[in-house]
Amino acid sequence: HILGMDYRLYKFFRDPETGNPLTPRPFQKRSVTCVDGISKAIEVPSEKVVQWNRTLHGQVYFDIVTPRVATVARNHFGCSELRGARLENQ
């Protein structure tokens, strides 16, 4: 199985209950350093959608943290402490 995702679409995620955007409008550009070390100015989604962290070895990773994704990930892995579903960086 494969699921393709495009980071440029995360900023359009909406609350399924209200239909309101999870990332405030107008979108704001921020300078970010990608996992490949390249810096870019991009419209970053809200931390209600995507959060980043580092492993103990310094590897950056990102999690989708919407309430629905977090619930599905917690149920799937039987772990109530997951904050969301981790994205691969390939």
Side-chain angles (χ1 to χ4, degrees):
H1 292 44
I2 186 168
L3 175 64
M5 306 269 311
D6 185 334
Y7 74 89
R8 293 170 291 197
L9 299 178
Y10 299 151
K11 63 188 175 200
F12 294 107
F13 283 17
R14 293 185 171 268
D15 182 309
E17 307 279 323
T18 66
N20 293 329
L22 293 173
T23 300
R25 308 303 199 261
F27 299 126
Q28 301 294 315
K29 284 195 176 194
R30 280 194 355 214
S31 180
V32 298
T33 301
C34 300
V35 295
D36 59 5
I38 296 173
S39 292
K40 295 180 182 181
I42 63 170
E43 294 171 339
V44 179
S46 164
E47 288 191 357
K48 295 179 186 176
V49 178
V50 177
Q51 293 179 9
W52 73 275
N53 210 334
R54 290 185 189 273
T55 66
L56 294 174
H57 302 291
Q59 175 93 21
V60 173
Y61 65 88
F62 297 88
D63 292 329
I64 297 290
V65 295
T66 62
R68 183 162 294 161
V69 170
T71 297
V72 170
R74 290 172 186 150
N75 290 341
H76 179 78
F77 292 106
C79 179
S80 62
E81 303 210 5
L82 287 176
R83 66 179 183 173
R86 189 165 299 176
L87 297 171
E88 290 189 18
N89 62 355
Q90 297 177 10

Coordinates of all heavy atoms in Angstrom, one line a residue:
H1 N 0.8 -1.2 0.0 CA 0.0 0.0 0.0 C 0.9 1.2 0.0 O 2.0 1.2 0.6 CB -0.9 0.0 1.2 CG -1.9 -1.1 1.3 ND1 -1.6 -2.4 0.9 CD2 -3.2 -1.0 1.6 CE1 -2.7 -3.1 1.1 NE2 -3.7 -2.3 1.5
I2 N 0.4 2.3 -0.6 CA 1.1 3.5 -0.6 C 0.1 4.7 -0.5 O -1.0 4.6 -1.0 CB 1.9 3.7 -1.9 CG1 2.8 4.9 -1.8 CG2 1.1 3.7 -3.1 CD1 3.9 5.0 -2.9
L3 N 0.5 5.7 0.2 CA -0.4 6.9 0.3 C 0.5 8.1 0.0 O 1.5 8.3 0.6 CB -0.9 7.0 1.7 CG -1.7 8.3 2.1 CD1 -3.0 8.3 1.2 CD2 -2.1 8.3 3.5
G4 N 0.2 8.8 -1.1 CA 0.9 9.9 -1.5 C 0.4 11.2 -0.8 O -0.8 11.4 -0.8
M5 N 1.2 12.0 -0.3 CA 0.8 13.3 0.4 C 1.7 14.4 -0.2 O 2.8 14.2 -0.5 CB 1.0 13.2 1.9 CG 0.4 12.1 2.6 SD -1.3 12.3 3.2 CE -1.3 13.7 4.1
D6 N 1.1 15.6 -0.3 CA 1.8 16.8 -0.8 C 1.8 17.8 0.4 O 0.7 18.3 0.8 CB 1.1 17.3 -2.0 CG 1.9 18.4 -2.6 OD1 2.7 19.2 -1.9 OD2 1.7 18.6 -3.9
Y7 N 3.0 18.2 0.9 CA 3.1 19.1 2.0 C 2.4 20.4 1.7 O 1.9 21.1 2.7 CB 4.6 19.3 2.4 CG 5.3 20.2 1.5 CD1 5.3 21.6 1.6 CD2 6.0 19.7 0.4 CE1 6.0 22.4 0.8 CE2 6.7 20.5 -0.5 CZ 6.7 21.9 -0.3 OH 7.3 22.7 -1.2
R8 N 2.3 20.8 0.5 CA 1.6 22.1 0.2 C 0.1 22.1 0.5 O -0.5 23.1 0.5 CB 1.9 22.4 -1.3 CG 3.4 22.7 -1.6 CD 3.6 22.8 -3.0 NE 3.5 21.5 -3.6 CZ 3.9 21.1 -4.8 NH1 4.6 22.0 -5.5 NH2 3.8 19.9 -5.2
L9 N -0.4 20.9 0.7 CA -1.9 20.8 0.9 C -2.2 20.8 2.4 O -3.4 21.0 2.8 CB -2.4 19.5 0.3 CG -2.3 19.5 -1.3 CD1 -2.8 18.2 -1.8 CD2 -3.0 20.7 -1.9
Y10 N -1.3 20.6 3.3 CA -1.6 20.5 4.7 C -2.2 21.8 5.3 O -3.0 21.7 6.2 CB -0.3 20.2 5.5 CG 0.4 18.9 5.2 CD1 1.8 18.8 5.4 CD2 -0.3 17.8 4.8 CE1 2.4 17.6 5.1 CE2 0.4 16.6 4.5 CZ 1.7 16.5 4.7 OH 2.4 15.4 4.4
K11 N -1.8 22.9 4.7 CA -2.4 24.2 5.2 C -3.9 24.3 4.9 O -4.6 25.2 5.4 CB -1.6 25.3 4.6 CG -1.7 25.4 3.1 CD -0.8 26.5 2.5 CE -0.9 26.4 1.0 NZ 0.3 27.0 0.4
F12 N -4.4 23.4 4.0 CA -5.8 23.5 3.7 C -6.7 22.5 4.5 O -7.9 22.5 4.4 CB -6.0 23.1 2.2 CG -5.4 24.2 1.3 CD1 -4.3 23.9 0.6 CD2 -6.0 25.4 1.2 CE1 -3.7 24.8 -0.3 CE2 -5.4 26.4 0.3 CZ -4.3 26.1 -0.4
F13 N -6.1 21.8 5.5 CA -6.9 20.9 6.3 C -7.9 21.7 7.1 O -7.6 22.8 7.6 CB -5.9 20.1 7.3 CG -5.2 19.0 6.7 CD1 -5.0 18.8 5.3 CD2 -4.6 18.0 7.5 CE1 -4.3 17.8 4.7 CE2 -3.9 17.0 6.9 CZ -3.7 16.9 5.6
R14 N -9.0 21.1 7.3 CA -10.1 21.8 8.1 C -10.6 20.9 9.2 O -10.5 19.7 9.2 CB -11.3 22.0 7.1 CG -10.9 23.0 6.0 CD -12.1 23.4 5.2 NE -11.8 24.5 4.3 CZ -12.1 25.8 4.6 NH1 -12.6 26.1 5.7 NH2 -11.7 26.7 3.8
D15 N -11.2 21.6 10.2 CA -11.9 20.9 11.3 C -13.1 20.2 10.8 O -14.0 20.8 10.2 CB -12.3 21.9 12.4 CG -12.9 21.3 13.6 OD1 -13.8 20.5 13.4 OD2 -12.4 21.6 14.7
P16 N -13.2 18.8 10.9 CA -14.3 18.1 10.4 C -15.7 18.5 11.0 O -16.7 18.3 10.4 CB -14.0 16.7 10.6 CG -13.0 16.7 11.7 CD -12.3 18.0 11.6
E17 N -15.6 19.0 12.3 CA -16.9 19.3 13.0 C -17.4 20.7 12.5 O -18.6 20.8 12.3 CB -16.6 19.4 14.5 CG -16.0 18.2 15.1 CD -17.0 17.1 15.3 OE1 -18.1 17.4 15.8 OE2 -16.6 15.9 15.2
T18 N -16.6 21.7 12.3 CA -17.0 23.0 12.0 C -16.8 23.4 10.6 O -17.4 24.4 10.1 CB -16.3 24.0 12.9 OG1 -14.9 24.0 12.6 CG2 -16.4 23.7 14.4
G19 N -15.9 22.7 9.9 CA -15.5 23.1 8.6 C -14.5 24.3 8.5 O -14.1 24.7 7.4
N20 N -14.1 24.8 9.7 CA -13.2 25.9 9.7 C -11.8 25.5 9.4 O -11.4 24.4 9.8 CB -13.2 26.6 11.1 CG -14.5 27.3 11.4 OD1 -15.2 27.8 10.5 ND2 -14.9 27.3 12.7
P21 N -11.0 26.3 8.8 CA -9.6 26.0 8.5 C -8.8 25.8 9.8 O -9.0 26.5 10.8 CB -9.0 27.1 7.7 CG -10.1 28.1 7.6 CD -11.3 27.7 8.3
L22 N -7.9 24.8 9.8 CA -7.0 24.6 11.0 C -5.8 25.6 10.9 O -5.2 25.8 11.9 CB -6.5 23.2 11.0 CG -7.6 22.2 11.4 CD1 -7.1 20.7 11.2 CD2 -8.2 22.4 12.8
T23 N -5.5 26.0 9.7 CA -4.4 27.0 9.6 C -5.0 28.4 9.2 O -5.8 28.5 8.3 CB -3.4 26.6 8.4 OG1 -2.9 25.3 8.7 CG2 -2.3 27.6 8.2
P24 N -4.7 29.4 10.1 CA -5.3 30.7 9.9 C -5.0 31.3 8.5 O -4.0 31.0 7.9 CB -4.7 31.6 11.0 CG -4.2 30.6 12.0 CD -3.8 29.4 11.2
R25 N -5.9 32.1 8.0 CA -5.8 32.8 6.8 C -5.5 34.3 7.1 O -6.0 34.8 8.1 CB -7.0 32.8 5.9 CG -7.5 31.3 5.6 CD -6.5 30.5 5.0 NE -7.1 29.3 4.3 CZ -7.2 28.1 4.8 NH1 -6.7 27.8 6.0 NH2 -7.7 27.1 4.2
P26 N -4.8 35.1 6.3 CA -4.0 34.6 5.2 C -2.8 33.8 5.6 O -2.3 33.9 6.7 CB -3.6 35.9 4.5 CG -3.5 36.9 5.6 CD -4.6 36.5 6.6
F27 N -2.3 32.9 4.7 CA -1.2 32.1 5.0 C 0.1 33.0 5.1 O 0.2 34.0 4.5 CB -0.9 31.1 3.9 CG -2.1 30.1 3.6 CD1 -2.7 30.0 2.4 CD2 -2.6 29.4 4.7 CE1 -3.7 29.1 2.2 CE2 -3.6 28.5 4.5 CZ -4.2 28.4 3.2
Q28 N 0.9 32.6 6.0 CA 2.2 33.3 6.3 C 3.4 32.4 5.8 O 3.4 31.2 6.1 CB 2.3 33.6 7.8 CG 1.2 34.4 8.4 CD 1.1 35.8 7.8 OE1 2.2 36.4 7.7 NE2 -0.1 36.2 7.5
K29 N 4.3 33.1 5.1 CA 5.5 32.4 4.7 C 6.5 32.4 5.9 O 6.7 33.4 6.5 CB 6.1 32.9 3.5 CG 5.4 32.6 2.2 CD 6.2 32.8 1.0 CE 5.4 32.3 -0.2 NZ 6.2 32.3 -1.4
R30 N 7.2 31.3 6.1 CA 8.3 31.2 7.1 C 9.5 30.5 6.4 O 9.3 29.7 5.5 CB 7.9 30.4 8.3 CG 7.1 31.1 9.2 CD 6.9 30.5 10.6 NE 7.5 29.1 10.7 CZ 7.0 28.2 11.5 NH1 5.9 28.4 12.2 NH2 7.6 27.0 11.6
S31 N 10.7 30.9 6.8 CA 11.9 30.2 6.3 C 12.1 28.9 7.2 O 12.0 29.0 8.4 CB 13.1 31.1 6.5 OG 14.2 30.4 6.0
V32 N 12.2 27.8 6.5 CA 12.3 26.5 7.1 C 13.5 25.8 6.5 O 13.9 26.0 5.4 CB 11.1 25.6 7.0 CG1 9.9 26.3 7.7 CG2 10.8 25.3 5.6
T33 N 14.2 25.0 7.3 CA 15.2 24.1 6.8 C 14.7 22.7 6.6 O 14.2 22.1 7.6 CB 16.4 24.1 7.8 OG1 16.9 25.5 7.9 CG2 17.6 23.2 7.2
C34 N 14.7 22.2 5.4 CA 14.2 20.9 5.1 C 15.1 19.8 5.6 O 16.2 20.1 6.0 CB 14.0 20.8 3.6 SG 12.8 22.0 2.9
V35 N 14.6 18.6 5.6 CA 15.4 17.5 6.1 C 16.7 17.2 5.3 O 17.6 16.7 5.8 CB 14.6 16.1 6.2 CG1 13.5 16.3 7.3 CG2 14.0 15.7 4.9
D36 N 16.7 17.7 4.1 CA 17.9 17.6 3.2 C 18.8 18.8 3.4 O 19.8 18.9 2.8 CB 17.5 17.5 1.8 CG 16.7 18.7 1.2 OD1 16.5 19.7 2.0 OD2 16.3 18.6 0.1
G37 N 18.5 19.7 4.4 CA 19.4 20.8 4.7 C 19.2 22.0 3.9 O 19.8 23.1 4.2
I38 N 18.3 22.0 3.0 CA 18.0 23.2 2.1 C 17.0 24.1 2.8 O 16.0 23.6 3.3 CB 17.5 22.8 0.7 CG1 18.6 22.0 0.0 CG2 17.1 24.0 -0.1 CD1 18.2 21.4 -1.3
S39 N 17.3 25.4 2.8 CA 16.3 26.4 3.4 C 15.4 26.9 2.3 O 15.8 27.2 1.2 CB 17.1 27.5 4.1 OG 17.8 27.1 5.2
K40 N 14.1 27.0 2.7 CA 13.1 27.5 1.8 C 12.1 28.4 2.5 O 11.9 28.2 3.7 CB 12.3 26.3 1.2 CG 13.0 25.4 0.3 CD 12.1 24.3 -0.2 CE 12.8 23.3 -1.1 NZ 12.0 22.3 -1.6
A41 N 11.5 29.3 1.8 CA 10.4 30.1 2.4 C 9.1 29.5 1.9 O 8.9 29.5 0.7 CB 10.5 31.6 2.0
I42 N 8.4 28.9 2.8 CA 7.1 28.3 2.4 C 6.0 28.7 3.4 O 6.2 29.2 4.4 CB 7.2 26.7 2.5 CG1 7.5 26.2 3.9 CG2 8.3 26.2 1.5 CD1 7.4 24.7 4.0
E43 N 4.8 28.5 2.9 CA 3.6 28.7 3.7 C 3.4 27.5 4.6 O 3.1 26.4 4.1 CB 2.4 28.9 2.9 CG 2.5 30.2 2.1 CD 1.4 30.4 1.0 OE1 0.7 29.4 0.6 OE2 1.1 31.5 0.6
V44 N 3.7 27.7 5.9 CA 3.7 26.6 6.8 C 2.3 26.4 7.4 O 1.7 27.3 7.9 CB 4.7 26.9 8.0 CG1 4.8 25.8 9.0 CG2 6.1 27.1 7.4
P45 N 1.9 25.1 7.5 CA 0.6 24.8 8.2 C 0.7 25.1 9.7 O 1.7 25.1 10.3 CB 0.3 23.4 7.8 CG 1.7 22.8 7.6 CD 2.5 23.9 7.0
S46 N -0.5 25.2 10.3 CA -0.6 25.4 11.7 C 0.0 24.2 12.5 O 0.0 23.1 12.0 CB -2.1 25.6 12.1 OG -2.3 25.4 13.4
E47 N 0.4 24.5 13.7 CA 0.9 23.4 14.6 C -0.3 22.5 15.0 O -0.1 21.4 15.6 CB 1.6 23.9 15.8 CG 3.0 24.4 15.4 CD 3.9 24.7 16.6 OE1 3.4 24.6 17.7 OE2 5.0 25.1 16.3
K48 N -1.5 22.9 14.7 CA -2.7 22.0 14.9 C -2.7 20.9 13.8 O -3.5 20.0 13.9 CB -4.0 22.8 14.8 CG -4.2 23.8 15.9 CD -5.5 24.5 15.7 CE -5.7 25.7 16.6 NZ -6.9 26.4 16.3
V49 N -1.9 21.1 12.8 CA -1.9 20.1 11.7 C -0.6 19.3 11.7 O -0.6 18.1 11.6 CB -2.1 20.8 10.3 CG1 -2.0 19.8 9.2 CG2 -3.4 21.6 10.3
V50 N 0.5 20.0 11.7 CA 1.9 19.4 11.6 C 2.8 19.9 12.7 O 2.8 21.1 12.9 CB 2.5 19.7 10.2 CG1 3.9 19.0 10.2 CG2 1.7 19.1 9.1
Q51 N 3.5 19.0 13.4 CA 4.4 19.4 14.4 C 5.7 18.6 14.1 O 5.7 17.5 13.5 CB 4.0 19.0 15.8 CG 2.8 19.8 16.2 CD 2.3 19.4 17.6 OE1 2.9 18.7 18.3 NE2 1.1 19.9 17.9
W52 N 6.9 19.3 14.4 CA 8.2 18.7 14.1 C 8.9 18.4 15.4 O 8.6 19.0 16.4 CB 9.0 19.5 13.1 CG 9.5 20.8 13.8 CD1 8.9 22.0 13.9 CD2 10.8 21.0 14.4 NE1 9.7 22.9 14.5 CE2 10.9 22.3 14.8 CE3 11.9 20.1 14.6 CZ2 12.0 22.8 15.5 CZ3 13.0 20.6 15.2 CH2 13.1 21.9 15.6
N53 N 9.9 17.5 15.3 CA 10.7 17.2 16.5 C 12.0 16.6 16.0 O 12.2 16.4 14.8 CB 10.0 16.3 17.4 CG 10.4 16.5 18.9 OD1 11.5 16.9 19.2 ND2 9.5 16.1 19.8
R54 N 12.9 16.3 16.9 CA 14.2 15.6 16.5 C 14.3 14.3 17.3 O 13.9 14.3 18.5 CB 15.4 16.5 16.9 CG 15.5 17.7 16.0 CD 16.8 18.4 16.3 NE 16.8 19.7 15.6 CZ 17.3 19.8 14.4 NH1 17.8 18.8 13.7 NH2 17.3 21.0 13.9
T55 N 14.9 13.3 16.7 CA 15.2 12.1 17.4 C 16.4 12.3 18.3 O 17.0 13.4 18.2 CB 15.6 10.9 16.4 OG1 16.8 11.3 15.8 CG2 14.4 10.7 15.4
L56 N 16.8 11.4 19.1 CA 17.9 11.5 20.0 C 19.2 11.7 19.2 O 20.2 12.2 19.7 CB 18.1 10.3 20.9 CG 17.0 10.1 21.9 CD1 17.1 8.8 22.7 CD2 16.9 11.3 22.9
H57 N 19.2 11.2 17.9 CA 20.4 11.3 17.0 C 20.3 12.6 16.2 O 21.2 12.8 15.3 CB 20.5 10.1 16.1 CG 20.6 8.8 16.9 ND1 21.7 8.5 17.7 CD2 19.7 7.8 17.1 CE1 21.5 7.4 18.3 NE2 20.3 6.9 17.9
G58 N 19.3 13.5 16.4 CA 19.3 14.8 15.7 C 18.5 14.7 14.4 O 18.4 15.7 13.7
Q59 N 17.9 13.6 14.0 CA 17.1 13.5 12.8 C 15.8 14.2 13.0 O 15.1 14.0 14.0 CB 16.9 12.0 12.5 CG 16.0 11.8 11.3 CD 16.7 11.6 10.0 OE1 17.9 11.3 10.0 NE2 16.0 11.8 8.9
V60 N 15.5 15.1 12.1 CA 14.2 15.9 12.1 C 13.1 15.0 11.6 O 13.3 14.2 10.6 CB 14.3 17.1 11.3 CG1 12.9 17.8 11.2 CG2 15.3 18.1 11.9
Y61 N 11.9 15.0 12.3 CA 10.8 14.3 11.7 C 9.5 15.1 12.0 O 9.5 16.1 12.8 CB 10.6 12.9 12.4 CG 10.3 12.9 13.9 CD1 9.0 13.0 14.4 CD2 11.4 12.9 14.8 CE1 8.8 13.0 15.7 CE2 11.1 12.9 16.1 CZ 9.8 12.9 16.6 OH 9.6 13.0 17.9
F62 N 8.5 14.8 11.3 CA 7.2 15.5 11.3 C 6.1 14.5 11.6 O 6.1 13.4 11.1 CB 6.9 16.2 10.0 CG 8.0 17.3 9.7 CD1 9.1 16.9 9.0 CD2 7.8 18.6 10.1 CE1 10.1 17.9 8.7 CE2 8.7 19.5 9.8 CZ 9.9 19.2 9.1
D63 N 5.1 15.0 12.4 CA 3.9 14.3 12.7 C 2.7 15.0 12.2 O 2.6 16.3 12.4 CB 3.7 14.1 14.2 CG 4.7 13.1 14.8 OD1 5.2 12.2 14.1 OD2 5.1 13.3 16.0
I64 N 1.7 14.3 11.6 CA 0.4 14.9 11.4 C -0.4 14.8 12.7 O -0.5 13.6 13.2 CB -0.4 14.2 10.2 CG1 0.4 14.4 8.9 CG2 -1.8 14.7 10.1 CD1 0.4 15.7 8.3
V65 N -0.9 15.9 13.3 CA -1.4 15.8 14.6 C -2.9 16.3 14.7 O -3.4 16.6 15.8 CB -0.6 16.6 15.6 CG1 0.8 16.1 15.7 CG2 -0.5 18.1 15.2
T66 N -3.6 16.2 13.6 CA -5.1 16.6 13.7 C -5.7 15.6 14.7 O -5.3 14.4 14.9 CB -5.7 16.5 12.4 OG1 -5.7 15.2 11.9 CG2 -5.1 17.5 11.4
P67 N -6.8 16.0 15.3 CA -7.5 15.1 16.3 C -7.9 13.7 15.7 O -7.7 12.7 16.3 CB -8.7 15.8 16.7 CG -8.3 17.3 16.6 CD -7.4 17.3 15.4
R68 N -8.3 13.7 14.5 CA -8.8 12.4 13.9 C -7.6 11.5 13.6 O -7.6 10.3 13.8 CB -9.6 12.7 12.6 CG -10.1 11.4 12.0 CD -11.2 11.5 11.0 NE -12.3 12.0 11.7 CZ -13.4 12.6 11.1 NH1 -13.4 12.8 9.8 NH2 -14.4 13.0 11.8
V69 N -6.5 12.1 13.0 CA -5.3 11.3 12.8 C -4.7 10.8 14.1 O -4.3 9.6 14.1 CB -4.2 12.1 12.0 CG1 -2.9 11.4 11.9 CG2 -4.8 12.4 10.6
A70 N -4.7 11.6 15.1 CA -4.1 11.2 16.4 C -4.9 10.0 16.9 O -4.4 9.0 17.4 CB -4.1 12.3 17.4
T71 N -6.3 10.1 16.8 CA -7.1 9.0 17.3 C -6.9 7.7 16.6 O -6.8 6.6 17.2 CB -8.6 9.4 17.2 OG1 -8.8 10.6 18.1 CG2 -9.5 8.3 17.6
V72 N -6.8 7.8 15.3 CA -6.6 6.6 14.4 C -5.2 6.0 14.8 O -5.1 4.8 14.9 CB -6.7 6.9 12.9 CG1 -6.2 5.8 12.1 CG2 -8.2 7.3 12.6
A73 N -4.2 6.8 14.9 CA -2.8 6.3 15.2 C -2.8 5.6 16.6 O -2.2 4.6 16.7 CB -1.8 7.4 15.1
R74 N -3.4 6.3 17.6 CA -3.5 5.7 18.9 C -4.2 4.4 18.9 O -3.7 3.4 19.6 CB -4.2 6.7 19.9 CG -3.3 7.9 20.1 CD -4.1 9.0 20.9 NE -3.3 10.2 21.0 CZ -3.9 11.4 21.1 NH1 -5.2 11.6 21.1 NH2 -3.1 12.4 21.2
N75 N -5.3 4.3 18.2 CA -6.1 3.0 18.2 C -5.3 2.0 17.5 O -5.3 0.8 17.9 CB -7.4 3.3 17.6 CG -8.4 4.1 18.4 OD1 -8.2 4.2 19.6 ND2 -9.4 4.6 17.8
H76 N -4.7 2.3 16.4 CA -3.9 1.3 15.5 C -2.8 0.7 16.3 O -2.5 -0.5 16.3 CB -3.5 2.0 14.2 CG -2.7 1.1 13.4 ND1 -3.3 0.1 12.6 CD2 -1.4 0.9 13.2 CE1 -2.4 -0.6 11.9 NE2 -1.2 -0.1 12.3
F77 N -2.0 1.6 17.0 CA -0.8 1.1 17.7 C -1.0 0.8 19.1 O -0.1 0.4 19.8 CB 0.3 2.2 17.5 CG 0.8 2.3 16.1 CD1 0.5 3.4 15.4 CD2 1.6 1.3 15.5 CE1 0.9 3.6 14.1 CE2 2.1 1.5 14.2 CZ 1.7 2.6 13.5
G78 N -2.3 1.0 19.6 CA -2.6 0.7 21.0 C -1.7 1.6 22.0 O -1.3 1.1 23.0
C79 N -1.5 2.8 21.6 CA -0.7 3.7 22.4 C -1.4 5.0 22.6 O -1.4 5.8 21.7 CB 0.7 3.9 21.8 SG 1.8 5.0 22.7
S80 N -1.9 5.3 23.8 CA -2.6 6.5 24.0 C -1.8 7.8 24.1 O -2.3 8.9 24.2 CB -3.4 6.4 25.4 OG -2.5 6.2 26.4
E81 N -0.4 7.6 24.1 CA 0.4 8.8 24.2 C 0.9 9.3 22.9 O 1.6 10.4 22.9 CB 1.7 8.4 25.1 CG 1.2 7.9 26.4 CD 2.2 8.1 27.5 OE1 3.2 8.8 27.3 OE2 1.9 7.7 28.6
L82 N 0.6 8.7 21.8 CA 1.0 9.2 20.5 C 0.3 10.5 20.2 O -0.9 10.7 20.5 CB 0.6 8.2 19.3 CG 1.4 7.0 19.2 CD1 0.8 6.1 18.1 CD2 2.8 7.3 18.9
R83 N 1.1 11.5 19.7 CA 0.5 12.8 19.4 C -0.1 12.8 18.0 O -0.8 13.8 17.6 CB 1.5 13.9 19.6 CG 2.7 13.9 18.7 CD 3.6 15.1 19.0 NE 4.7 15.1 18.0 CZ 5.6 16.0 18.0 NH1 5.5 17.0 18.8 NH2 6.5 16.0 17.1
G84 N 0.3 11.9 17.1 CA -0.2 11.8 15.8 C 0.5 10.7 15.0 O 1.0 9.8 15.6
A85 N 0.5 10.9 13.7 CA 1.1 9.9 12.8 C 2.4 10.5 12.2 O 2.3 11.6 11.6 CB 0.2 9.4 11.7
R86 N 3.5 9.8 12.3 CA 4.7 10.3 11.8 C 4.8 10.1 10.3 O 4.4 9.1 9.7 CB 5.9 9.5 12.4 CG 7.2 10.2 12.1 CD 8.4 9.7 12.9 NE 8.1 10.0 14.3 CZ 8.9 9.7 15.3 NH1 10.0 8.9 15.1 NH2 8.6 10.0 16.5
L87 N 5.3 11.1 9.6 CA 5.5 11.1 8.2 C 7.0 10.6 7.9 O 7.9 11.0 8.6 CB 5.4 12.5 7.6 CG 4.0 13.1 7.8 CD1 4.0 14.6 7.3 CD2 3.0 12.4 6.9
E88 N 7.1 9.9 6.8 CA 8.4 9.5 6.4 C 9.1 10.7 5.6 O 8.4 11.5 5.1 CB 8.4 8.3 5.5 CG 8.0 7.0 6.2 CD 8.1 5.8 5.3 OE1 8.8 5.8 4.3 OE2 7.5 4.8 5.7
N89 N 10.4 10.7 5.7 CA 11.1 11.8 5.0 C 11.9 11.4 3.8 O 13.0 11.8 3.6 CB 12.0 12.6 6.0 CG 13.1 11.7 6.5 OD1 13.1 10.5 6.2 ND2 14.0 12.2 7.3
Q90 N 11.3 10.5 3.0 CA 12.0 10.0 1.8 C 11.6 10.7 0.6 O 10.5 11.2 0.5 CB 11.7 8.5 1.7 CG 12.2 7.7 2.9 CD 11.9 6.2 2.7 OE1 11.5 5.8 1.7 NE2 12.1 5.5 3.8

